[in-house]
PDB file of all heavy atoms in Angstrom:
ATOM      1  N   ALA P 163      25.782 158.830   3.338  1.00 98.00           N
ATOM      2  CA  ALA P 163      24.303 159.059   3.345  1.00 98.00           C
ATOM      3  C   ALA P 163      23.909 160.436   2.941  1.00 98.00           C
ATOM      4  O   ALA P 163      24.676 161.359   3.152  1.00 98.00           O
ATOM      5  CB  ALA P 163      23.705 158.825   4.755  1.00 98.00           C
ATOM      6  N   ASN P 164      22.762 160.496   2.271  1.00 98.00           N
ATOM      7  CA  ASN P 164      22.165 161.801   2.001  1.00 98.00           C
ATOM      8  C   ASN P 164      21.113 162.080   3.058  1.00 98.00           C
ATOM      9  O   ASN P 164      20.029 161.540   3.057  1.00 98.00           O
ATOM     10  CB  ASN P 164      21.505 161.725   0.527  1.00 98.00           C
ATOM     11  CG  ASN P 164      20.720 162.987   0.239  1.00 98.00           C
ATOM     12  OD1 ASN P 164      20.868 164.028   0.907  1.00 98.00           O
ATOM     13  ND2 ASN P 164      19.967 162.985  -0.860  1.00 98.00           N
ATOM     14  N   VAL P 165      21.483 162.920   4.046  1.00 98.00           N
ATOM     15  CA  VAL P 165      20.570 163.211   5.172  1.00 98.00           C
ATOM     16  C   VAL P 165      19.518 164.164   4.737  1.00 98.00           C
ATOM     17  O   VAL P 165      19.911 165.362   4.634  1.00 98.00           O
ATOM     18  CB  VAL P 165      21.356 163.659   6.403  1.00 98.00           C
ATOM     19  CG1 VAL P 165      20.419 163.828   7.569  1.00 98.00           C
ATOM     20  CG2 VAL P 165      22.441 162.675   6.765  1.00 98.00           C
ATOM     21  N   VAL P 166      18.304 163.770   4.446  1.00 98.00           N
ATOM     22  CA  VAL P 166      17.279 164.703   3.919  1.00 98.00           C
ATOM     23  C   VAL P 166      16.582 165.460   4.932  1.00 98.00           C
ATOM     24  O   VAL P 166      15.971 166.482   4.569  1.00 98.00           O
ATOM     25  CB  VAL P 166      16.293 163.841   2.985  1.00 98.00           C
ATOM     26  CG1 VAL P 166      17.088 163.315   1.742  1.00 98.00           C
ATOM     27  CG2 VAL P 166      15.640 162.768   3.723  1.00 98.00           C
ATOM     28  N   ALA P 167      16.619 165.065   6.111  1.00 98.00           N
ATOM     29  CA  ALA P 167      15.948 165.803   7.163  1.00 98.00           C
ATOM     30  C   ALA P 167      16.254 165.190   8.519  1.00 98.00           C
ATOM     31  O   ALA P 167      16.620 164.010   8.658  1.00 98.00           O
ATOM     32  CB  ALA P 167      14.402 165.714   6.986  1.00 98.00           C
ATOM     33  N   ALA P 168      16.136 165.975   9.613  1.00 98.00           N
ATOM     34  CA  ALA P 168      16.217 165.513  10.952  1.00 98.00           C
ATOM     35  C   ALA P 168      14.923 165.930  11.658  1.00 98.00           C
ATOM     36  O   ALA P 168      14.513 167.057  11.568  1.00 98.00           O
ATOM     37  CB  ALA P 168      17.335 166.176  11.668  1.00 98.00           C
ATOM     38  N   CYS P 169      14.250 164.963  12.336  1.00 98.00           N
ATOM     39  CA  CYS P 169      12.935 165.202  12.891  1.00 98.00           C
ATOM     40  C   CYS P 169      12.889 164.884  14.337  1.00 98.00           C
ATOM     41  O   CYS P 169      13.360 163.800  14.750  1.00 98.00           O
ATOM     42  CB  CYS P 169      11.907 164.379  12.148  1.00 98.00           C
ATOM     43  SG  CYS P 169      12.068 164.571  10.297  1.00 98.00           S
ATOM     44  N   PHE P 170      12.188 165.705  15.138  1.00 98.00           N
ATOM     45  CA  PHE P 170      12.153 165.557  16.576  1.00 98.00           C
ATOM     46  C   PHE P 170      10.743 165.893  17.081  1.00 98.00           C
ATOM     47  O   PHE P 170      10.096 166.758  16.506  1.00 98.00           O
ATOM     48  CB  PHE P 170      13.192 166.535  17.232  1.00 98.00           C
ATOM     49  CG  PHE P 170      14.589 166.451  16.644  1.00 98.00           C
ATOM     50  CD1 PHE P 170      14.897 167.208  15.563  1.00 98.00           C
ATOM     51  CD2 PHE P 170      15.530 165.608  17.252  1.00 98.00           C
ATOM     52  CE1 PHE P 170      16.168 167.149  15.013  1.00 98.00           C
ATOM     53  CE2 PHE P 170      16.817 165.586  16.739  1.00 98.00           C
ATOM     54  CZ  PHE P 170      17.178 166.294  15.587  1.00 98.00           C
ATOM     55  N   ILE P 171      10.393 165.316  18.130  1.00 98.00           N
ATOM     56  CA  ILE P 171       9.049 165.774  18.721  1.00 98.00           C
ATOM     57  C   ILE P 171       9.326 167.084  19.462  1.00 98.00           C
ATOM     58  O   ILE P 171       8.590 168.019  19.158  1.00 98.00           O
ATOM     59  CB  ILE P 171       8.583 164.648  19.759  1.00 98.00           C
ATOM     60  CG1 ILE P 171       8.211 163.364  19.000  1.00 98.00           C
ATOM     61  CG2 ILE P 171       7.412 165.259  20.571  1.00 98.00           C
ATOM     62  CD1 ILE P 171       7.658 162.300  20.003  1.00 98.00           C
ATOM     63  N   VAL P 172      10.328 167.159  20.229  1.00 98.00           N
ATOM     64  CA  VAL P 172      10.549 168.359  21.120  1.00 98.00           C
ATOM     65  C   VAL P 172      11.820 169.134  20.718  1.00 98.00           C
ATOM     66  O   VAL P 172      12.846 168.565  20.518  1.00 98.00           O
ATOM     67  CB  VAL P 172      10.716 167.998  22.634  1.00 98.00           C
ATOM     68  CG1 VAL P 172      11.040 169.114  23.548  1.00 98.00           C
ATOM     69  CG2 VAL P 172       9.557 167.180  23.116  1.00 98.00           C
ATOM     70  N   ASP P 173      11.587 170.433  20.538  1.00 98.00           N
ATOM     71  CA  ASP P 173      12.717 171.397  20.421  1.00 98.00           C
ATOM     72  C   ASP P 173      12.910 172.275  21.627  1.00 98.00           C
ATOM     73  O   ASP P 173      11.901 172.802  22.224  1.00 98.00           O
ATOM     74  CB  ASP P 173      12.430 172.337  19.213  1.00 98.00           C
ATOM     75  CG  ASP P 173      13.552 173.160  18.799  1.00 98.00           C
ATOM     76  OD1 ASP P 173      14.736 172.983  19.175  1.00 98.00           O
ATOM     77  OD2 ASP P 173      13.205 174.188  17.993  1.00 98.00           O
ATOM     78  N   LEU P 174      14.114 172.408  22.085  1.00 98.00           N
ATOM     79  CA  LEU P 174      14.452 173.362  23.130  1.00 98.00           C
ATOM     80  C   LEU P 174      15.285 174.486  22.414  1.00 98.00           C
ATOM     81  O   LEU P 174      16.446 174.538  22.425  1.00 98.00           O
ATOM     82  CB  LEU P 174      15.236 172.709  24.185  1.00 98.00           C
ATOM     83  CG  LEU P 174      14.716 171.505  24.812  1.00 98.00           C
ATOM     84  CD1 LEU P 174      15.592 170.994  26.007  1.00 98.00           C
ATOM     85  CD2 LEU P 174      13.297 171.728  25.349  1.00 98.00           C
ATOM     86  N   PRO P 175      14.519 175.475  21.792  1.00 98.00           N
ATOM     87  CA  PRO P 175      15.174 176.422  20.867  1.00 98.00           C
ATOM     88  C   PRO P 175      16.132 177.251  21.466  1.00 98.00           C
ATOM     89  O   PRO P 175      17.159 177.702  20.843  1.00 98.00           O
ATOM     90  CB  PRO P 175      14.014 177.283  20.367  1.00 98.00           C
ATOM     91  CG  PRO P 175      12.903 177.014  21.248  1.00 98.00           C
ATOM     92  CD  PRO P 175      13.076 175.715  21.890  1.00 98.00           C
ATOM     93  N   ASP P 176      16.079 177.494  22.770  1.00 97.00           N
ATOM     94  CA  ASP P 176      17.030 178.414  23.416  1.00 97.00           C
ATOM     95  C   ASP P 176      18.454 177.772  23.471  1.00 97.00           C
ATOM     96  O   ASP P 176      19.399 178.390  23.740  1.00 97.00           O
ATOM     97  CB  ASP P 176      16.583 178.761  24.877  1.00 97.00           C
ATOM     98  CG  ASP P 176      15.337 179.556  24.869  1.00 97.00           C
ATOM     99  OD1 ASP P 176      14.892 180.003  23.756  1.00 97.00           O
ATOM    100  OD2 ASP P 176      14.682 179.672  25.952  1.00 97.00           O
ATOM    101  N   LEU P 177      18.538 176.452  23.337  1.00 97.00           N
ATOM    102  CA  LEU P 177      19.810 175.875  23.371  1.00 97.00           C
ATOM    103  C   LEU P 177      20.442 175.687  21.927  1.00 97.00           C
ATOM    104  O   LEU P 177      21.596 175.217  21.768  1.00 97.00           O
ATOM    105  CB  LEU P 177      19.661 174.418  24.001  1.00 97.00           C
ATOM    106  CG  LEU P 177      19.370 174.507  25.424  1.00 97.00           C
ATOM    107  CD1 LEU P 177      19.065 173.152  26.062  1.00 97.00           C
ATOM    108  CD2 LEU P 177      20.439 175.248  26.237  1.00 97.00           C
ATOM    109  N   GLY P 178      19.704 176.075  20.845  1.00 98.00           N
ATOM    110  CA  GLY P 178      20.334 176.335  19.543  1.00 98.00           C
ATOM    111  C   GLY P 178      20.558 175.053  18.754  1.00 98.00           C
ATOM    112  O   GLY P 178      21.238 175.220  17.740  1.00 98.00           O
ATOM    113  N   GLY P 179      20.026 173.903  19.139  1.00 98.00           N
ATOM    114  CA  GLY P 179      20.338 172.731  18.383  1.00 98.00           C
ATOM    115  C   GLY P 179      19.739 172.696  16.931  1.00 98.00           C
ATOM    116  O   GLY P 179      20.454 172.350  16.003  1.00 98.00           O
ATOM    117  N   ALA P 180      18.496 173.117  16.780  1.00 98.00           N
ATOM    118  CA  ALA P 180      17.884 173.095  15.440  1.00 98.00           C
ATOM    119  C   ALA P 180      18.722 174.075  14.530  1.00 98.00           C
ATOM    120  O   ALA P 180      18.898 173.737  13.354  1.00 98.00           O
ATOM    121  CB  ALA P 180      16.342 173.486  15.479  1.00 98.00           C
ATOM    122  N   ALA P 181      19.059 175.233  15.033  1.00 98.00           N
ATOM    123  CA  ALA P 181      19.796 176.158  14.249  1.00 98.00           C
ATOM    124  C   ALA P 181      21.132 175.566  13.822  1.00 98.00           C
ATOM    125  O   ALA P 181      21.591 175.844  12.697  1.00 98.00           O
ATOM    126  CB  ALA P 181      20.026 177.405  14.967  1.00 98.00           C
ATOM    127  N   LYS P 182      21.785 174.889  14.681  1.00 98.00           N
ATOM    128  CA  LYS P 182      23.038 174.203  14.474  1.00 98.00           C
ATOM    129  C   LYS P 182      22.904 173.260  13.302  1.00 98.00           C
ATOM    130  O   LYS P 182      23.761 173.210  12.402  1.00 98.00           O
ATOM    131  CB  LYS P 182      23.585 173.544  15.722  1.00 98.00           C
ATOM    132  CG  LYS P 182      24.847 172.862  15.604  1.00 98.00           C
ATOM    133  CD  LYS P 182      25.292 172.098  16.823  1.00 98.00           C
ATOM    134  CE  LYS P 182      25.771 172.965  17.907  1.00 98.00           C
ATOM    135  NZ  LYS P 182      26.194 172.206  19.093  1.00 98.00           N
ATOM    136  N   LEU P 183      21.863 172.499  13.339  1.00 98.00           N
ATOM    137  CA  LEU P 183      21.686 171.521  12.154  1.00 98.00           C
ATOM    138  C   LEU P 183      21.371 172.144  10.902  1.00 98.00           C
ATOM    139  O   LEU P 183      21.849 171.857   9.864  1.00 98.00           O
ATOM    140  CB  LEU P 183      20.521 170.545  12.596  1.00 98.00           C
ATOM    141  CG  LEU P 183      20.745 169.473  13.527  1.00 98.00           C
ATOM    142  CD1 LEU P 183      19.625 168.451  13.459  1.00 98.00           C
ATOM    143  CD2 LEU P 183      22.035 168.730  13.339  1.00 98.00           C
ATOM    144  N   ARG P 184      20.540 173.227  10.954  1.00 98.00           N
ATOM    145  CA  ARG P 184      20.203 173.938   9.718  1.00 98.00           C
ATOM    146  C   ARG P 184      21.446 174.544   9.088  1.00 98.00           C
ATOM    147  O   ARG P 184      21.611 174.647   7.903  1.00 98.00           O
ATOM    148  CB  ARG P 184      19.133 174.979   9.992  1.00 98.00           C
ATOM    149  CG  ARG P 184      17.764 174.459  10.248  1.00 98.00           C
ATOM    150  CD  ARG P 184      16.640 175.369  10.440  1.00 98.00           C
ATOM    151  NE  ARG P 184      15.437 174.691  10.660  1.00 98.00           N
ATOM    152  CZ  ARG P 184      14.692 174.761  11.833  1.00 98.00           C
ATOM    153  NH1 ARG P 184      15.083 175.560  12.807  1.00 98.00           N
ATOM    154  NH2 ARG P 184      13.653 174.113  11.952  1.00 98.00           N
ATOM    155  N   ALA P 185      22.402 175.054   9.951  1.00 98.00           N
ATOM    156  CA  ALA P 185      23.687 175.566   9.457  1.00 98.00           C
ATOM    157  C   ALA P 185      24.509 174.481   8.731  1.00 98.00           C
ATOM    158  O   ALA P 185      25.475 174.769   8.040  1.00 98.00           O
ATOM    159  CB  ALA P 185      24.480 176.206  10.620  1.00 98.00           C
ATOM    160  N   MET P 186      24.193 173.199   9.045  1.00 98.00           N
ATOM    161  CA  MET P 186      24.865 172.088   8.365  1.00 98.00           C
ATOM    162  C   MET P 186      24.087 171.696   7.092  1.00 98.00           C
ATOM    163  O   MET P 186      24.328 170.572   6.638  1.00 98.00           O
ATOM    164  CB  MET P 186      24.961 170.902   9.359  1.00 98.00           C
ATOM    165  CG  MET P 186      25.789 171.104  10.563  1.00 98.00           C
ATOM    166  SD  MET P 186      25.623 169.689  11.642  1.00 98.00           S
ATOM    167  CE  MET P 186      26.711 168.403  10.826  1.00 98.00           C
ATOM    168  N   ASP P 187      23.072 172.439   6.767  1.00 98.00           N
ATOM    169  CA  ASP P 187      22.232 172.204   5.550  1.00 98.00           C
ATOM    170  C   ASP P 187      21.385 171.025   5.816  1.00 98.00           C
ATOM    171  O   ASP P 187      21.097 170.277   4.895  1.00 98.00           O
ATOM    172  CB  ASP P 187      23.106 172.067   4.300  1.00 98.00           C
ATOM    173  CG  ASP P 187      23.645 173.332   3.863  1.00 98.00           C
ATOM    174  OD1 ASP P 187      22.920 174.371   4.025  1.00 98.00           O
ATOM    175  OD2 ASP P 187      24.780 173.316   3.311  1.00 98.00           O
ATOM    176  N   VAL P 188      20.936 170.772   7.036  1.00 98.00           N
ATOM    177  CA  VAL P 188      20.120 169.678   7.346  1.00 98.00           C
ATOM    178  C   VAL P 188      18.624 170.360   7.673  1.00 98.00           C
ATOM    179  O   VAL P 188      18.566 171.035   8.597  1.00 98.00           O
ATOM    180  CB  VAL P 188      20.447 168.875   8.554  1.00 98.00           C
ATOM    181  CG1 VAL P 188      19.386 167.794   8.790  1.00 98.00           C
ATOM    182  CG2 VAL P 188      21.847 168.316   8.327  1.00 98.00           C
ATOM    183  N   PRO P 189      17.620 170.093   6.776  1.00 98.00           N
ATOM    184  CA  PRO P 189      16.233 170.553   7.091  1.00 98.00           C
ATOM    185  C   PRO P 189      15.861 169.929   8.370  1.00 98.00           C
ATOM    186  O   PRO P 189      15.970 168.665   8.690  1.00 98.00           O
ATOM    187  CB  PRO P 189      15.430 170.086   5.978  1.00 98.00           C
ATOM    188  CG  PRO P 189      16.395 169.758   4.837  1.00 98.00           C
ATOM    189  CD  PRO P 189      17.606 169.357   5.500  1.00 98.00           C
ATOM    190  N   VAL P 190      15.214 170.739   9.274  1.00 98.00           N
ATOM    191  CA  VAL P 190      14.848 170.300  10.601  1.00 98.00           C
ATOM    192  C   VAL P 190      13.334 170.417  10.853  1.00 98.00           C
ATOM    193  O   VAL P 190      12.756 171.486  10.427  1.00 98.00           O
ATOM    194  CB  VAL P 190      15.499 171.147  11.691  1.00 98.00           C
ATOM    195  CG1 VAL P 190      15.121 170.588  13.107  1.00 98.00           C
ATOM    196  CG2 VAL P 190      17.038 170.853  11.644  1.00 98.00           C
TER     197      VAL P 190
END
Side-chain angles (χ1 to χ4, degrees):
N164 175 11
V165 183
V166 294
C169 309
F170 309 85
I171 294 180
V172 177
D173 184 18
L174 306 184
D176 297 346
L177 294 176
K182 183 185 283 183
L183 284 194
R184 290 185 178 114
M186 297 172 76
D187 288 326
V188 180
V190 177

